[in-house]
Amino acid sequence: MSTGEQKEMFFAELKLPQQKLDGGHLFPAVLCPNRQVDACRFIEELKHHKAWLEDVVLKRSAAILLRGFPVETASDFNAVVEAFGYEELAYTGSGSRTPVLGRVYTANDSPPDQKIAFHHEMAHAPVFPSKLFFFCEEEPKRGGETPIVLSHVVHERIKQRFPKFVERLEEHGAIYTLVLGAGYDPSRPVGRGWQLTFSTQDKATAEERAAQMGMKLEWMEDGVKVVAGPVEAIRIDKTRGRKVWFNNVVFRDTACEDSRNDPDKSRLFGDGTPLPTDIINDCLKILDEECVAIPWQKGDILLLDNFAVLHSRQSFEPPRRILVSLCK
C-alpha cells in the first residue's frame, strides 16, 4: 500500500459551505479522522504524516482546519504543536495575550465586543512566524470566528482596483507607529504596555530590544511611541511564485482611537506620507469580501501559513477560549 493511500485512510477531507476555491483547491483544507483514535495515536499519526500535511499547506490550501480529533485541553494542543516539530518563535508585540503552558498562549484577551482587524502576525518585525496554530478550547456561544483570507488574492484585488496605491506601497514600504502606555490594559487588542512588550523595566534595554526588531522608541511623558519601518509591504512568496499583501496597513484598532493613537496616522507610506483613508476603507471591504469565516467547534485546530494568509477575529458572545502557538 502506498504512503498516499495510508494517509487517505487516516485523514478524510470535509467540505464546508464557507470554503472557497483557489486554483482548484478548497481554502482552507478541512480534515477529519477516518477512524476513531485516542490522543496518543493521533500524535503519532501527525508525526508520521507531517510531510504530507506540510505539502497540503504549501502546495494546496495554505491553511488546514483539523476537526473531530481527540484534542480537548491546552496540554493536548501543546502536544499537537510539538508533533509538527517546528521551532518555537517567542511572541514580540503589544497584543493582549497570556502564557498558558509550554508554547501555548491565549490568542487575544481583549473584550468580546471588539473585532480584531485582518493582519499577518508580526508583519512589522524582521523575524515573523512562518506558521500559526489556533485551538478552540471552548467554542463561542455566538460569533467569535477567526476569518482568514489568502494574501495573494487580496494583493490581486487591491492592485486591480488601486494600482498606483499598490505601486507606492511596493516602492516605499510602510511605517507603523503605536503609542504604548506603561501598564497592561486587556481592554485593548494591543494592550500590553512597553514593559511587557519588550520584557524589561529598563528604558535603555527596551531601546536595545526594539532596535533588534527594527524599531525605534520615542519616549513620552506617559508612555512611548514605537516606530517600525519602513518595512516591505508587498513581498514575493518564493515557494508559490506570487506576490502577497504582507502588511498590516489596514489594521484598524478601534480600541486605540484616542488622542495618542489615531489609526489614520499610525500607518504611513515608507516615505512618511499618510495612507489615503478612503482607499484603506475600500481595502477593508475587499478583505471582508474575500475572507472565509468558519464557526469554531470545540477541539478545532487551525494551521495557517502566516506568509500566505491573513487572519482576524469577530466579536462574540462568551464563553470563548481560543489558544495560539507561533512557530519559526
Side-chain angles (χ1 to χ4, degrees):
M1 183 180 293
S2 72
T3 303
E5 289 172 332
Q6 290 174 348
K7 295 180 181 75
E8 290 175 359
M9 285 185 65
F10 180 73
F11 291 103
E13 191 157 356
L14 288 177
K15 291 185 179 180
L16 300 179
Q18 296 87 1
Q19 290 169 288
K20 291 193 174 185
L21 275 173
D22 177 69
H25 300 297
L26 287 170
F27 171 76
V30 182
L31 304 178
C32 67
N34 232 344
R35 59 183 181 273
Q36 189 172 3
V37 294
D38 60 20
C40 291
R41 180 59 186 273
F42 175 48
I43 295 302
E44 292 305 310
E45 293 285 358
L46 286 176
K47 293 177 180 178
H48 183 67
H49 297 107
K50 177 189 172 185
W52 180 76
L53 292 166
E54 287 181 329
D55 195 63
V56 173
V57 172
L58 293 176
K59 298 181 180 179
R60 286 178 48 190
S61 297
I64 296 175
L65 175 63
L66 297 170
R67 173 164 286 182
F69 293 93
V71 185
E72 297 184 1
T73 67
S75 180
D76 293 338
F77 174 51
N78 190 71
V80 168
V81 177
E82 292 283 358
F84 278 83
Y86 299 126
E87 187 176 351
E88 181 181 5
L89 180 66
Y91 175 66
T92 54
S94 57
S96 302
R97 56 182 43 153
T98 305
V100 178
L101 61 82
R103 53 197 294 176
V104 175
Y105 294 76
T106 57
N108 196 291
D109 298 330
S110 60
D113 64 313
Q114 294 179 7
K115 293 182 179 181
I116 299 175
F118 282 102
H119 60 288
H120 288 281
E121 198 69 38
M122 294 167 55
H124 61 281
V127 179
F128 47 83
S130 68
K131 304 290 188 302
L132 306 177
F133 287 85
F134 292 93
F135 168 60
C136 180
E137 188 176 39
E138 189 170 16
E139 66 185 66
K141 185 174 181 180
R142 178 188 56 79
E145 297 91 347
T146 298
I148 56 176
V149 62
L150 287 162
S151 194
H152 76 280
V153 173
V154 173
H155 172 261
E156 291 168 2
R157 283 281 314 270
I158 296 177
K159 183 177 181 180
Q160 184 180 36
R161 181 82 181 274
F162 305 109
K164 291 184 178 179
F165 169 68
V166 173
E167 183 179 334
R168 285 196 66 190
L169 268 181
E170 190 165 7
E171 179 181 359
H172 299 290
I175 295 174
Y176 307 100
T177 69
L178 181 67
V179 176
L180 299 176
Y184 176 58
D185 183 1
S187 69
R188 297 181 175 186
V190 288
R192 301 205 308 173
W194 67 266
Q195 292 99 329
L196 279 174
T197 298
F198 298 107
S199 301
T200 182
Q201 300 287 327
D202 180 66
K203 291 184 176 181
T205 302
E207 290 175 356
E208 292 175 4
R209 292 176 179 172
Q212 292 172 1
M213 294 186 286
M215 306 173 185
K216 63 179 181 179
L217 305 184
E218 300 174 6
W219 295 101
M220 306 169 65
E221 185 176 343
D222 59 347
V224 62
K225 182 178 182 180
V226 183
V227 182
V231 296
E232 287 183 275
I234 309 296
R235 306 197 188 196
I236 302 293
D237 183 344
K238 295 180 181 178
T239 301
R240 301 172 179 87
R242 59 199 186 195
K243 290 184 178 181
V244 292
W245 179 261
F246 195 81
N247 63 70
N248 294 339
V249 300
V250 299
F251 188 93
R252 301 294 296 270
D253 177 16
T254 56
C256 286
E257 291 183 9
D258 54 28
S259 58
R260 297 185 306 176
N261 288 293
D262 180 347
D264 292 328
K265 298 178 181 178
S266 62
R267 284 150 183 83
L268 310 169
F269 285 113
D271 60 5
T273 57
L275 297 169
T277 302
D278 56 339
I279 291 181
I280 293 299
N281 290 336
D282 283 341
C283 290
L284 289 167
K285 294 177 183 177
I286 289 173
L287 284 157
D288 286 336
E289 290 169 2
E290 295 294 341
C291 78
V292 171
I294 298 174
W296 283 111
Q297 292 184 9
K298 179 176 173 56
D300 282 352
I301 293 175
L302 179 63
L303 167 59
L304 301 182
D305 183 327
N306 186 46
F307 197 67
V309 181
L310 299 104
H311 66 280
S312 63
R313 187 194 80 177
Q314 297 282 38
S315 58
F316 62 93
E317 182 178 350
R320 176 190 189 268
R321 185 170 167 86
I322 305 299
L323 306 181
V324 69
S325 185
L326 280 58
C327 305
K328 287 187 178 179

